[in-house]
Each structure stands twice: as C-alpha cells, then as structure tokens.
Amino acid sequence: MDSNNQIKPDEIEILIVEDSPTQAERLRRLIQSLHYNARVAANGQLALAAIRERKPHLVLSDIVMPEMNGYDLCRAIKSDPTLRDIPVILVTSLNDPKDIIRGIECGADNFIRKPYAEDYLLNRISHMLMNQKLRKNQNVEIGIALYLGDQKHFINAERQQILDLLISTYEQAVQVNGELQARERQVIELNMRLAHHAAELETINREIALKNLELAEASRMKSAFIANMSHELRTPLNAIIGFTGALLMKLPGPLTSDQDKQLNTIRASARHLLSLINDILDVAKIEAGKLTLSIEPVHCQDLMAEVADTLRPLAQQKGLALEMALGEAGRPPAIIETDRRALTQILINLLNNAIKFTEQGTVRISLAQREEDGVQVTEMSIADSGAGIKEEDQAKLFQAFSQLDSTSTRHVEGAGLGLYLCQNLANAIGGALFFNSDYGSGSTFTLALRSKP
C-alpha cells in the first residue's frame, strides 16, 4: 500500500449521529478501540452544526432520527461544496430495495446493515478512510434516470461512489447469505440431533410401555394372591372366633377363670387379625379398581349410634367417656345417598383409632349439616383428647403402611392401613376426609359428604 495513503488513527475524527444514547455510546467505544477520535450528535440538525463547526474525516449516521433523518443529513453534506468530500456511511436495516436508491440519491458513500458485526463495521470505516484520498481527483459526474416500483429516480453521483455503494451492498448480501448458510447447517445438525433423541425417546417409551405391562401383570397377580390368601385366612379365623365364642358361652361345660381369660385373649387376637386381613383385602380391591358400591339412603344418626355402640365396650375398658352429639332434638334426620358399608367402615376405623390413641379423657362423635353454594354438606367428626400428632408427622398420616410410632416398643397394634383405607373409601363415595391436630391436646377427623338438599 502506498505510504501516502497510510492513516494515523489519532489524527482521524469520526462523527457518530445516533439518537439512541445506548447505541451511540456503543459506537463511540467501538471506534475509539482503533484509537480514532469520536464525537456524538443526537440528530441530523445537531450533526450538521457540529460538522460546520469542525469538519470530521467521516460521518457514521443512523437513518431514522427525529428532526432530520440520515438521508436529509447526507443530502445536506453532499450539497455543500465545502463538506461534500466527507465520506458518509448510513446505518440501515436495508428492508426495502428503495433504501439503496435513496442512499445513492442523497450521495451516501456506503451502507452498513443492521444488525452489524463489529469487525465488519470497523473494516468498512478503515476502507472508507483509505479510499478518501483516492476519490478526491475523480469528480466526473454522471446522470442516470430510472424507475423503481412506480416512482422515477434521478441519480447524480460519482461513478466511484455508486460502485462503492453497490459493492458494499453486495458484500453485505454475501455476508447475510453466509450467515444463512451457517444457520442452515446448524438447523440440519439440530434436526439430526433431534431425530437421534426422538429415536432414543421411542426406545425408552417402548421400554416404559413394556415395564408398565409387567407392573400391571404383577399388580394383578398381587391382587389375586391377596384376595385368595385373605379368603383362605378368613375361613379358619372365623371358625376360631366361632368356636371360641361357643366355649366362652360354656356350651360344652364350665370354665376356670384362667381358661376364660385365655379364651378371651384368643378371640380378641383372632378378631384383630381378621380386621387386618379385611383392611388388606379392601385396599387390594381399591387399588385394583374392583371396589363395588351399593348406593342407598342412609340414616346418619342411626348409623353413627350403631358404630358408637359397637366400640363402646373398648372405650369402657380404657376408662374413656364416649360422647355423641348427633344434632339438635326435633330436627329432621340426616339422610344421605351413599354406600352404607363403606361409610360404616370409615367411621369404625376413625373411632377405633381415637380410642386406641387416647389414654384418658373423652372421645366425641358428632354430626353437623350446613349448606354451601346450594349444596348440602354433611360432616361427621370424631374428636379425641389423646396425644395429638406432631406437625412433622402429619404429612405421612394417610400413607399406606405408615405408622407414627414404628418402633418395636409401641403400645398400639396395627398395620398402618386404617387411615389410608379411610381416605380411599371417602374418595370412592365422593367425600373428603380431613383433620386438625394439636400435639398434646388431641385430634379431630372429619368426613364431609356433599349432596343435594
């Protein structure tokens, strides 16, 4: 390169015309990174005043600006004989072919397309500054008339200027094409990865489907096994309970006090085991979706009284008071359409738990009815004065086989299925089971059933 065309950066001043302070500061820092001097004007009017005050070596201008846009600024510079040799680079999105014609008409020397690569912008600035001297002696003008769309344009510009504009436009088109090709390669690569992942997902889905079939078969076999075993166990247990009852009635003959005590222990143990087997069988039916319901009108007060009478001897053995609050006297009975057996089992399990976990005080069974959004809500509650439930234990209360005291020294028996079964039965009959408990003060469990009044 000719040494006469070498540029000393610190002697060059570039005027940035940009109405966005953020973009203007970005451009200023970028230009100063090559050690050029930079000034900033916020619009075309301010830029024109700054140019006339001190002539810059190059103007880098946005097109869309208030008061005076980039085209008008460029036209004003090129129409002034004292300023027309200043190279003007317009920054534009190049969304319309007329942008190029407007640039040539106003005398612009180059285009930079938005968004621009910083390296490309700096390269175009350096190129324009190096060519500035070469263009000083090439002032032959030509006139060209052309139509674009339905509008006639007359271009009066230097050949070198038009060539530079077209080359810069072509370079940027090549750059855009290169970017598009790179993105196309990325899309192809991404599609290949997605196809690979899709194949992997299909394989995984097939494996999951196979596992689901295996689990369903295992669940079916488990349910069948539990049902068969429960049946096989219940038959001899019922026989034990029956024969023990006959002995306790002294039908074969008198009993000693020790024999009576031992027979009562055998019968209580057999009944407890039968209760556990029934719970397991019911859970198996629910999980297998084979629970059948028989909906009928149920007199709530009568049912709750029967449940209380059934478990009253257990409460009396522990010295507990069993109270009932089944509604105000004179009010019509609470009758709901539901499955009597499921409702009975829920209440028996809840009342049995209340008695089991209460050492002294009172267990209370109560009934209340209210209307909510035009629907009658029947609430059956069982409250106790027992130890209550710790807050950290409440989350696992309705889990299957979950026991709050799972140590070998716990003082109450059970398989941890009672509340799990109650919740599932409540859901099956369209009810909701919830509770509140204060540790050290007792707990209240409530079954809520909604029905039309």
Side-chain angles (χ1 to χ4, degrees):
M1 183 180 293
D2 191 343
S3 60
N4 292 329
N5 291 328
Q6 293 292 336
I7 300 172
K8 295 181 179 180
D10 57 351
E11 296 177 357
I12 299 298
E13 183 177 74
I14 297 175
L15 178 65
I16 301 167
V17 189
E18 172 62 66
D19 61 324
S20 168
T22 303
Q23 292 297 321
E25 179 61 18
R26 177 191 174 196
L27 286 169
R28 186 183 69 80
R29 290 178 178 273
L30 184 62
I31 289 170
Q32 288 180 342
S33 69
L34 292 183
H35 305 291
Y36 295 138
N37 297 309
R39 285 189 292 163
V40 176
N43 58 55
Q45 292 283 9
L46 296 174
L48 199 56
I51 291 170
R52 287 171 176 158
E53 178 183 346
R54 188 170 72 249
K55 189 175 177 180
H57 292 83
L58 183 141
V59 174
L60 179 65
S61 175
D62 191 16
I63 289 180
V64 181
M65 293 182 296
E67 297 189 29
M68 178 185 283
N69 62 34
Y71 292 130
D72 292 338
L73 171 62
C74 183
R75 188 174 290 106
I77 294 173
K78 296 302 181 180
S79 63
D80 189 332
T82 62
L83 305 177
R84 64 181 307 172
D85 61 327
I86 303 173
V88 178
I89 300 178
L90 296 178
V91 182
T92 176
S93 58
L94 283 176
N95 290 326
D96 190 337
K98 292 181 181 180
D99 289 346
I100 298 174
I101 302 301
R102 294 189 188 102
I104 295 174
E105 284 180 327
C106 71
D109 295 273
N110 218 308
F111 276 120
I112 295 293
R113 182 183 60 86
K114 288 183 178 180
Y116 51 80
E118 293 183 352
D119 291 344
Y120 179 79
L121 174 62
L122 295 175
N123 181 64
R124 295 310 303 169
I125 291 173
S126 299
H127 176 78
M128 292 303 300
L129 291 172
M130 287 188 291
N131 283 345
Q132 187 177 14
K133 292 183 180 181
L134 297 176
R135 296 175 56 183
K136 286 183 178 179
N137 298 323
Q138 300 178 12
N139 293 324
V140 179
E141 297 181 354
I142 58 174
I144 301 174
L146 58 85
Y147 283 89
L148 186 63
D150 294 328
Q151 189 173 359
K152 182 179 180 180
H153 300 270
F154 184 81
I155 299 171
N156 187 7
E158 300 174 5
R159 289 192 299 266
Q160 184 65 43
Q161 178 191 3
I162 296 174
L163 182 61
D164 282 349
L165 273 170
L166 294 177
I167 289 174
S168 69
T169 304
Y170 176 75
E171 283 181 342
Q172 293 186 74
V174 171
Q175 181 187 6
V176 171
N177 188 56
E179 292 173 356
L180 289 174
Q181 289 179 347
R183 290 178 184 176
E184 184 178 1
R185 288 192 296 270
Q186 291 175 354
V187 169
I188 292 172
E189 183 181 352
L190 181 60
N191 285 337
M192 292 176 64
R193 291 180 182 176
L194 288 174
H196 179 67
H197 289 317
E200 290 181 345
L201 285 174
E202 187 176 354
T203 301
I204 293 171
N205 285 336
R206 284 197 298 268
E207 293 175 355
I208 291 174
L210 181 61
K211 293 295 183 184
N212 285 337
L213 289 174
E214 293 175 356
L215 287 172
E217 179 62 16
S219 178
R220 186 193 65 79
M221 293 177 66
K222 178 204 72 172
S223 299
F225 172 77
I226 290 175
N228 291 334
M229 287 301 298
S230 298
H231 176 74
E232 295 298 326
L233 288 171
R234 282 194 298 179
T235 300
L237 279 173
N238 282 321
I240 291 171
I241 293 170
F243 284 125
T244 305
L247 290 172
L248 287 171
M249 292 173 65
K250 302 178 183 178
L251 296 178
L255 299 172
T256 67
S257 60
D258 287 341
Q259 290 172 335
D260 186 273
K261 181 178 179 181
Q262 290 169 358
L263 286 171
N264 274 301
T265 301
I266 292 171
R267 185 171 64 175
S269 298
R271 284 174 174 173
H272 175 66
L273 184 56
L274 182 61
S275 174
L276 292 179
I277 292 172
N278 287 333
D279 284 350
I280 292 172
L281 181 59
D282 287 333
V283 168
K285 286 181 178 179
I286 291 172
E287 292 181 346
K290 295 182 178 179
L291 180 69
T292 56
L293 300 177
S294 178
I295 305 302
E296 60 179 296
V298 176
H299 192 298
C300 295
Q301 284 94 339
D302 288 350
L303 177 63
M304 296 175 75
E306 290 174 10
V307 169
D309 289 342
T310 300
L311 295 178
R312 193 179 301 278
L314 182 61
Q316 291 174 345
Q317 287 178 12
K318 298 186 69 174
L320 302 176
L322 180 57
E323 299 177 352
M324 289 192 297
L326 303 182
E328 298 177 4
R331 292 193 62 180
I335 299 177
I336 59 175
E337 296 282 336
T338 188
D339 184 277
R340 182 182 183 87
R341 177 182 174 279
L343 180 57
T344 301
Q345 192 166 359
I346 293 171
L347 294 176
I348 286 178
N349 279 347
L350 292 179
L351 184 56
N352 184 61
N353 275 355
I355 296 171
K356 184 191 302 183
F357 291 99
T358 303
E359 297 304 319
Q360 58 182 2
T362 303
V363 175
R364 181 183 178 87
I365 179 170
S366 59
L367 174 69
Q369 284 188 308
R370 57 185 172 84
E371 283 197 16
E372 183 180 286
D373 300 328
V375 176
Q376 180 175 273
V377 180
T378 302
E379 293 184 341
M380 306 177 195
S381 300
I382 296 176
D384 63 65
S385 59
I389 304 163
K390 295 179 181 178
E391 187 174 351
E392 60 267 25
D393 290 332
Q394 293 180 6
K396 61 182 181 180
L397 197 60
F398 292 104
Q399 296 176 4
F401 303 104
S402 174
Q403 295 175 326
L404 302 188
D405 181 9
S406 58
T407 63
S408 59
T409 58
R410 67 180 187 269
H411 65 283
V412 293
E413 298 177 331
L417 285 174
L419 289 177
Y420 175 74
L421 178 61
C422 286
Q423 187 181 59
N424 280 276
L425 288 173
N427 292 336
I429 62 176
L433 182 62
F434 54 92
F435 75 98
N436 60 73
S437 180
D438 293 323
Y439 186 62
S441 300
S443 306
T444 300
F445 285 80
T446 302
L447 172 66
L449 294 169
R450 299 168 68 86
S451 60
K452 293 182 181 180

